[in-house]
Amino acid sequence: MLRQISKTMGWPFTLVYIILIVSALYFTFVAAPKALNANDWPYTQGKVAQSELIERKRSNKNSDIVTVYLAKIKYQYAVDGKTYSSVQIRWADRSKNKIESLIGKEFPADALVTVFYNPKRPEEAVLQQGLSLAHMLIGLFLLVSICSMAWALYRNANKRRSL
């Protein structure tokens, strides 16, 4: 099938299509289930051990220097007498929107926080349960992209049959 797709649409299209499908599979079977399972996890009291704003300089495509801000929030919690630490705020959430409010208001250093932990693997923990808006938008983007590419393949196949 991949050989037919690459022959019909070209290797760049095929590569993008494969990457989108693998991303969708990862999101569907790994990231989203973990985020949804966290809704049933027990919780414990934890404490923010480190809360800082990290500033990094990077160059963009135009060689302009841009400043990127990242939140570094580390918290500790105990389950059955054993202490754990984590930096995961929400499953598969890599966006750092509202960084200053995360650090300053929600998770300042030494703040007490509710930590939701996996009862089977207590080292897995999050501070916020469920899927973020970013998760839902990524899922929607993947679905639309895969459907669009499938439609393009279908139309291309019909054009070839009619010739």
Short mmCIF file of all heavy atoms in Angstrom, two decimals, residues 79-129:
data_model
loop_
_atom_site.label_atom_id
_atom_site.label_comp_id
_atom_site.label_asym_id
_atom_site.label_seq_id
_atom_site.Cartn_x
_atom_site.Cartn_y
_atom_site.Cartn_z
N VAL A 79 4.05 8.64 48.83
CA VAL A 79 3.04 7.58 48.72
C VAL A 79 3.56 6.38 49.48
O VAL A 79 4.68 5.91 49.23
CB VAL A 79 2.76 7.21 47.24
CG1 VAL A 79 1.78 6.06 47.15
CG2 VAL A 79 2.26 8.41 46.46
N ASP A 80 2.80 5.91 50.44
CA ASP A 80 3.18 4.75 51.26
C ASP A 80 4.56 4.93 51.90
O ASP A 80 5.38 4.01 51.91
CB ASP A 80 3.13 3.45 50.45
CG ASP A 80 1.72 3.11 49.99
OD1 ASP A 80 0.76 3.47 50.71
OD2 ASP A 80 1.59 2.49 48.92
N GLY A 81 4.83 6.13 52.36
CA GLY A 81 6.08 6.40 53.06
C GLY A 81 7.29 6.62 52.16
O GLY A 81 8.39 6.90 52.65
N LYS A 82 7.13 6.51 50.85
CA LYS A 82 8.25 6.73 49.93
C LYS A 82 8.05 8.08 49.23
O LYS A 82 6.97 8.39 48.78
CB LYS A 82 8.32 5.61 48.90
CG LYS A 82 9.54 5.70 48.03
CD LYS A 82 9.72 4.46 47.17
CE LYS A 82 10.98 4.63 46.32
NZ LYS A 82 11.18 3.55 45.40
N THR A 83 9.14 8.86 49.14
CA THR A 83 9.08 10.18 48.54
C THR A 83 9.42 10.11 47.05
O THR A 83 10.37 9.45 46.65
CB THR A 83 10.07 11.15 49.24
OG1 THR A 83 9.73 11.19 50.63
CG2 THR A 83 9.98 12.54 48.66
N TYR A 84 8.62 10.81 46.25
CA TYR A 84 8.81 10.89 44.81
C TYR A 84 8.88 12.35 44.40
O TYR A 84 8.42 13.23 45.13
CB TYR A 84 7.63 10.23 44.06
CG TYR A 84 7.45 8.77 44.35
CD1 TYR A 84 6.57 8.35 45.34
CD2 TYR A 84 8.13 7.81 43.62
CE1 TYR A 84 6.40 7.00 45.61
CE2 TYR A 84 7.96 6.47 43.88
CZ TYR A 84 7.09 6.07 44.87
OH TYR A 84 6.91 4.74 45.12
N SER A 85 9.41 12.59 43.21
CA SER A 85 9.38 13.94 42.66
C SER A 85 9.03 13.85 41.18
O SER A 85 9.28 12.83 40.53
CB SER A 85 10.71 14.65 42.85
OG SER A 85 11.72 14.03 42.11
N SER A 86 8.44 14.92 40.66
CA SER A 86 8.03 14.95 39.27
C SER A 86 8.03 16.39 38.77
O SER A 86 8.05 17.32 39.57
CB SER A 86 6.64 14.33 39.11
OG SER A 86 6.25 14.33 37.75
N VAL A 87 7.99 16.53 37.47
CA VAL A 87 7.89 17.84 36.84
C VAL A 87 6.67 17.90 35.92
O VAL A 87 6.41 18.91 35.30
CB VAL A 87 9.17 18.19 36.03
CG1 VAL A 87 10.36 18.33 36.94
CG2 VAL A 87 9.43 17.16 34.95
N GLN A 88 5.93 16.80 35.83
CA GLN A 88 4.79 16.71 34.92
C GLN A 88 3.59 17.45 35.51
O GLN A 88 3.11 17.10 36.58
CB GLN A 88 4.43 15.24 34.69
CG GLN A 88 3.47 14.99 33.58
CD GLN A 88 4.10 15.22 32.22
OE1 GLN A 88 5.20 14.79 31.95
NE2 GLN A 88 3.40 15.91 31.36
N ILE A 89 3.12 18.45 34.78
CA ILE A 89 1.94 19.18 35.25
C ILE A 89 0.67 18.48 34.77
O ILE A 89 -0.24 18.24 35.52
CB ILE A 89 2.00 20.65 34.79
CG1 ILE A 89 3.19 21.32 35.45
CG2 ILE A 89 0.69 21.37 35.11
CD1 ILE A 89 3.44 22.72 35.07
N ARG A 90 0.65 18.17 33.47
CA ARG A 90 -0.48 17.46 32.88
C ARG A 90 0.09 16.53 31.83
O ARG A 90 1.09 16.83 31.20
CB ARG A 90 -1.43 18.47 32.23
CG ARG A 90 -2.70 17.86 31.72
CD ARG A 90 -3.56 18.91 31.09
NE ARG A 90 -3.98 19.87 32.10
CZ ARG A 90 -5.07 20.59 32.05
NH1 ARG A 90 -5.85 20.50 31.02
NH2 ARG A 90 -5.37 21.42 32.99
N TRP A 91 -0.52 15.37 31.63
CA TRP A 91 0.02 14.39 30.67
C TRP A 91 0.13 14.97 29.29
O TRP A 91 -0.79 15.57 28.77
CB TRP A 91 -0.83 13.12 30.63
CG TRP A 91 -0.45 12.20 31.72
CD1 TRP A 91 -1.21 11.84 32.79
CD2 TRP A 91 0.81 11.55 31.90
NE1 TRP A 91 -0.50 11.02 33.61
CE2 TRP A 91 0.74 10.82 33.10
CE3 TRP A 91 1.99 11.54 31.17
CZ2 TRP A 91 1.80 10.07 33.57
CZ3 TRP A 91 3.05 10.79 31.64
CH2 TRP A 91 2.95 10.06 32.83
N ALA A 92 1.29 14.75 28.71
CA ALA A 92 1.61 15.12 27.33
C ALA A 92 1.46 16.62 27.08
O ALA A 92 1.35 17.04 25.96
CB ALA A 92 0.76 14.34 26.34
N ASP A 93 1.48 17.41 28.12
CA ASP A 93 1.34 18.85 27.98
C ASP A 93 2.73 19.47 27.92
O ASP A 93 3.41 19.55 28.92
CB ASP A 93 0.55 19.42 29.15
CG ASP A 93 0.02 20.81 28.86
OD1 ASP A 93 0.28 21.32 27.76
OD2 ASP A 93 -0.65 21.37 29.72
N ARG A 94 3.13 19.86 26.75
CA ARG A 94 4.45 20.47 26.59
C ARG A 94 4.36 21.97 26.37
O ARG A 94 5.34 22.65 26.34
CB ARG A 94 5.18 19.84 25.40
CG ARG A 94 5.42 18.37 25.57
CD ARG A 94 6.47 18.11 26.62
NE ARG A 94 6.72 16.70 26.76
CZ ARG A 94 6.41 15.99 27.82
NH1 ARG A 94 5.83 16.56 28.85
NH2 ARG A 94 6.68 14.72 27.87
N SER A 95 3.14 22.48 26.19
CA SER A 95 3.01 23.92 25.99
C SER A 95 3.14 24.63 27.32
O SER A 95 2.68 24.14 28.35
CB SER A 95 1.67 24.25 25.34
OG SER A 95 0.62 23.92 26.21
N LYS A 96 3.76 25.75 27.31
CA LYS A 96 3.99 26.50 28.54
C LYS A 96 3.25 27.82 28.49
O LYS A 96 3.80 28.89 28.66
CB LYS A 96 5.49 26.72 28.76
CG LYS A 96 6.27 25.44 28.86
CD LYS A 96 5.82 24.60 30.03
CE LYS A 96 6.64 23.34 30.12
NZ LYS A 96 6.13 22.38 31.04
N ASN A 97 1.94 27.76 28.20
CA ASN A 97 1.12 28.96 28.18
C ASN A 97 0.96 29.48 29.59
O ASN A 97 0.91 28.72 30.56
CB ASN A 97 -0.25 28.67 27.57
CG ASN A 97 -0.15 28.25 26.13
OD1 ASN A 97 0.81 28.59 25.44
ND2 ASN A 97 -1.10 27.49 25.66
N LYS A 98 0.84 30.77 29.68
CA LYS A 98 0.63 31.42 30.97
C LYS A 98 1.71 31.02 31.97
O LYS A 98 1.43 30.71 33.11
CB LYS A 98 -0.75 31.09 31.53
CG LYS A 98 -1.89 31.44 30.61
CD LYS A 98 -3.20 31.00 31.22
CE LYS A 98 -4.31 31.06 30.22
NZ LYS A 98 -5.52 30.42 30.67
N ILE A 99 2.94 31.01 31.52
CA ILE A 99 4.06 30.54 32.35
C ILE A 99 4.15 31.32 33.65
O ILE A 99 4.27 30.73 34.72
CB ILE A 99 5.38 30.63 31.57
CG1 ILE A 99 5.36 29.61 30.45
CG2 ILE A 99 6.58 30.40 32.47
CD1 ILE A 99 6.49 29.74 29.49
N GLU A 100 4.08 32.62 33.56
CA GLU A 100 4.24 33.42 34.77
C GLU A 100 3.12 33.16 35.77
O GLU A 100 3.35 33.13 36.96
CB GLU A 100 4.34 34.89 34.40
CG GLU A 100 5.64 35.21 33.69
CD GLU A 100 5.65 36.57 33.07
OE1 GLU A 100 4.60 37.22 32.97
OE2 GLU A 100 6.75 37.00 32.67
N SER A 101 1.89 32.94 35.27
CA SER A 101 0.80 32.65 36.21
C SER A 101 0.96 31.27 36.81
O SER A 101 0.62 31.05 37.97
CB SER A 101 -0.56 32.79 35.53
OG SER A 101 -0.75 31.76 34.58
N LEU A 102 1.50 30.30 36.03
CA LEU A 102 1.77 28.98 36.59
C LEU A 102 2.74 29.08 37.75
O LEU A 102 2.55 28.49 38.80
CB LEU A 102 2.36 28.05 35.53
CG LEU A 102 1.42 27.38 34.56
CD1 LEU A 102 2.21 26.60 33.52
CD2 LEU A 102 0.45 26.48 35.26
N ILE A 103 3.79 29.85 37.53
CA ILE A 103 4.83 29.96 38.56
C ILE A 103 4.36 30.84 39.71
O ILE A 103 4.46 30.47 40.87
CB ILE A 103 6.13 30.50 37.94
CG1 ILE A 103 6.70 29.45 37.00
CG2 ILE A 103 7.14 30.88 39.00
CD1 ILE A 103 7.87 29.92 36.19
N GLY A 104 3.84 32.01 39.37
CA GLY A 104 3.51 32.97 40.40
C GLY A 104 2.25 32.68 41.19
O GLY A 104 2.21 32.88 42.40
N LYS A 105 1.21 32.21 40.53
CA LYS A 105 -0.08 32.04 41.20
C LYS A 105 -0.38 30.59 41.58
O LYS A 105 -0.70 30.29 42.71
CB LYS A 105 -1.20 32.59 40.32
CG LYS A 105 -1.12 34.08 40.09
CD LYS A 105 -2.19 34.54 39.14
CE LYS A 105 -1.99 36.01 38.79
NZ LYS A 105 -2.87 36.44 37.73
N GLU A 106 -0.29 29.70 40.60
CA GLU A 106 -0.69 28.32 40.85
C GLU A 106 0.37 27.49 41.56
O GLU A 106 0.05 26.69 42.43
CB GLU A 106 -1.07 27.63 39.53
CG GLU A 106 -2.34 28.16 38.91
CD GLU A 106 -2.71 27.38 37.67
OE1 GLU A 106 -2.90 26.16 37.79
OE2 GLU A 106 -2.80 28.00 36.60
N PHE A 107 1.63 27.63 41.15
CA PHE A 107 2.68 26.76 41.66
C PHE A 107 3.92 27.52 42.13
O PHE A 107 5.02 27.25 41.67
CB PHE A 107 3.08 25.73 40.59
CG PHE A 107 1.91 24.98 40.00
CD1 PHE A 107 1.61 25.10 38.67
CD2 PHE A 107 1.13 24.18 40.80
CE1 PHE A 107 0.53 24.41 38.12
CE2 PHE A 107 0.04 23.49 40.26
CZ PHE A 107 -0.25 23.61 38.92
N PRO A 108 3.76 28.45 43.07
CA PRO A 108 4.97 29.11 43.58
C PRO A 108 5.78 28.15 44.44
O PRO A 108 5.26 27.14 44.94
CB PRO A 108 4.41 30.27 44.42
CG PRO A 108 3.06 29.78 44.85
CD PRO A 108 2.55 28.92 43.72
N ALA A 109 7.06 28.45 44.62
CA ALA A 109 7.92 27.60 45.44
C ALA A 109 7.33 27.46 46.85
O ALA A 109 6.76 28.39 47.39
CB ALA A 109 9.32 28.20 45.52
N ASP A 110 7.45 26.27 47.41
CA ASP A 110 6.98 25.90 48.75
C ASP A 110 5.45 25.82 48.88
O ASP A 110 4.94 25.64 49.98
CB ASP A 110 7.55 26.84 49.83
CG ASP A 110 9.06 26.76 49.91
OD1 ASP A 110 9.60 25.64 49.72
OD2 ASP A 110 9.69 27.79 50.14
N ALA A 111 4.72 25.97 47.78
CA ALA A 111 3.26 25.87 47.84
C ALA A 111 2.85 24.42 48.03
O ALA A 111 3.48 23.50 47.51
CB ALA A 111 2.64 26.42 46.56
N LEU A 112 1.77 24.22 48.77
CA LEU A 112 1.19 22.89 48.90
C LEU A 112 0.28 22.66 47.70
O LEU A 112 -0.50 23.53 47.32
CB LEU A 112 0.41 22.77 50.20
CG LEU A 112 1.24 22.88 51.47
CD1 LEU A 112 0.33 22.78 52.70
CD2 LEU A 112 2.31 21.81 51.52
N VAL A 113 0.41 21.49 47.08
CA VAL A 113 -0.35 21.16 45.88
C VAL A 113 -0.97 19.78 46.02
O VAL A 113 -0.49 18.94 46.77
CB VAL A 113 0.54 21.20 44.61
CG1 VAL A 113 0.94 22.61 44.27
CG2 VAL A 113 1.75 20.31 44.75
N THR A 114 -2.04 19.57 45.28
CA THR A 114 -2.65 18.24 45.20
C THR A 114 -1.98 17.50 44.05
O THR A 114 -1.93 18.00 42.93
CB THR A 114 -4.16 18.36 44.95
OG1 THR A 114 -4.74 19.10 46.03
CG2 THR A 114 -4.81 16.99 44.86
N VAL A 115 -1.46 16.32 44.35
CA VAL A 115 -0.76 15.52 43.35
C VAL A 115 -1.58 14.26 43.08
O VAL A 115 -1.91 13.52 44.01
CB VAL A 115 0.66 15.12 43.85
CG1 VAL A 115 1.36 14.25 42.82
CG2 VAL A 115 1.48 16.35 44.19
N PHE A 116 -1.92 14.04 41.82
CA PHE A 116 -2.64 12.84 41.41
C PHE A 116 -1.60 11.84 40.91
O PHE A 116 -0.84 12.15 40.00
CB PHE A 116 -3.64 13.18 40.30
CG PHE A 116 -4.66 14.20 40.73
CD1 PHE A 116 -4.43 15.56 40.53
CD2 PHE A 116 -5.82 13.80 41.37
CE1 PHE A 116 -5.35 16.50 40.93
CE2 PHE A 116 -6.75 14.74 41.78
CZ PHE A 116 -6.51 16.10 41.57
N TYR A 117 -1.57 10.66 41.51
CA TYR A 117 -0.53 9.68 41.17
C TYR A 117 -1.14 8.37 40.73
O TYR A 117 -2.25 8.00 41.11
CB TYR A 117 0.42 9.45 42.37
CG TYR A 117 -0.25 8.82 43.56
CD1 TYR A 117 -0.25 7.43 43.72
CD2 TYR A 117 -0.88 9.60 44.51
CE1 TYR A 117 -0.87 6.84 44.81
CE2 TYR A 117 -1.52 9.01 45.61
CZ TYR A 117 -1.51 7.64 45.75
OH TYR A 117 -2.14 7.06 46.81
N ASN A 118 -0.38 7.66 39.89
CA ASN A 118 -0.79 6.36 39.39
C ASN A 118 -0.63 5.34 40.51
O ASN A 118 0.48 5.14 40.99
CB ASN A 118 0.09 5.99 38.18
CG ASN A 118 -0.31 4.69 37.53
OD1 ASN A 118 -1.02 3.88 38.11
ND2 ASN A 118 0.16 4.49 36.32
N PRO A 119 -1.70 4.69 40.96
CA PRO A 119 -1.58 3.75 42.07
C PRO A 119 -0.70 2.54 41.75
O PRO A 119 -0.10 1.95 42.64
CB PRO A 119 -3.02 3.33 42.36
CG PRO A 119 -3.78 3.65 41.12
CD PRO A 119 -3.07 4.79 40.46
N LYS A 120 -0.59 2.18 40.47
CA LYS A 120 0.25 1.05 40.07
C LYS A 120 1.71 1.46 39.92
O LYS A 120 2.59 0.63 40.07
CB LYS A 120 -0.26 0.45 38.75
CG LYS A 120 -1.64 -0.17 38.88
CD LYS A 120 -2.13 -0.68 37.55
CE LYS A 120 -3.54 -1.22 37.71
NZ LYS A 120 -4.14 -1.59 36.44
N ARG A 121 1.95 2.71 39.58
CA ARG A 121 3.30 3.25 39.41
C ARG A 121 3.33 4.64 40.04
O ARG A 121 3.17 5.63 39.34
CB ARG A 121 3.67 3.32 37.93
CG ARG A 121 3.67 1.93 37.26
CD ARG A 121 4.13 1.97 35.83
NE ARG A 121 5.52 2.44 35.81
CZ ARG A 121 6.05 3.09 34.79
NH1 ARG A 121 5.34 3.37 33.73
NH2 ARG A 121 7.31 3.47 34.82
N PRO A 122 3.52 4.73 41.36
CA PRO A 122 3.43 6.01 42.05
C PRO A 122 4.41 7.08 41.56
O PRO A 122 4.20 8.26 41.82
CB PRO A 122 3.72 5.66 43.51
CG PRO A 122 3.52 4.21 43.62
CD PRO A 122 3.76 3.63 42.28
N GLU A 123 5.44 6.69 40.82
CA GLU A 123 6.37 7.69 40.28
C GLU A 123 5.74 8.50 39.15
O GLU A 123 6.25 9.55 38.76
CB GLU A 123 7.68 7.05 39.82
CG GLU A 123 7.58 6.11 38.65
CD GLU A 123 7.21 4.67 39.03
OE1 GLU A 123 6.90 4.40 40.20
OE2 GLU A 123 7.23 3.83 38.13
N GLU A 124 4.63 8.02 38.58
CA GLU A 124 3.87 8.77 37.58
C GLU A 124 2.86 9.64 38.29
O GLU A 124 2.00 9.14 39.01
CB GLU A 124 3.13 7.83 36.62
CG GLU A 124 4.00 7.08 35.66
CD GLU A 124 3.19 6.25 34.68
OE1 GLU A 124 1.95 6.11 34.85
OE2 GLU A 124 3.79 5.71 33.76
N ALA A 125 2.97 10.94 38.09
CA ALA A 125 2.07 11.86 38.77
C ALA A 125 1.84 13.10 37.93
O ALA A 125 2.66 13.45 37.08
CB ALA A 125 2.65 12.25 40.12
N VAL A 126 0.73 13.76 38.19
CA VAL A 126 0.40 15.03 37.54
C VAL A 126 -0.25 15.96 38.56
O VAL A 126 -0.78 15.51 39.57
CB VAL A 126 -0.56 14.84 36.34
CG1 VAL A 126 0.11 14.09 35.21
CG2 VAL A 126 -1.84 14.12 36.75
N LEU A 127 -0.19 17.24 38.27
CA LEU A 127 -0.84 18.22 39.13
C LEU A 127 -2.23 18.57 38.62
O LEU A 127 -3.08 19.02 39.39
CB LEU A 127 0.00 19.51 39.23
CG LEU A 127 1.36 19.36 39.89
CD1 LEU A 127 2.09 20.70 39.89
CD2 LEU A 127 1.23 18.83 41.30
N GLN A 128 -2.47 18.38 37.34
CA GLN A 128 -3.77 18.67 36.75
C GLN A 128 -4.24 17.45 35.97
O GLN A 128 -3.48 16.88 35.19
CB GLN A 128 -3.69 19.89 35.82
CG GLN A 128 -3.29 21.14 36.55
CD GLN A 128 -3.07 22.31 35.61
OE1 GLN A 128 -2.88 22.14 34.40
NE2 GLN A 128 -3.08 23.51 36.15
N GLN A 129 -5.50 17.09 36.17
CA GLN A 129 -6.04 15.92 35.50
C GLN A 129 -6.63 16.27 34.14
O GLN A 129 -6.96 17.42 33.87
CB GLN A 129 -7.15 15.30 36.35
CG GLN A 129 -6.68 14.79 37.68
CD GLN A 129 -7.82 14.33 38.54
OE1 GLN A 129 -8.75 15.08 38.79
NE2 GLN A 129 -7.76 13.10 39.00
#
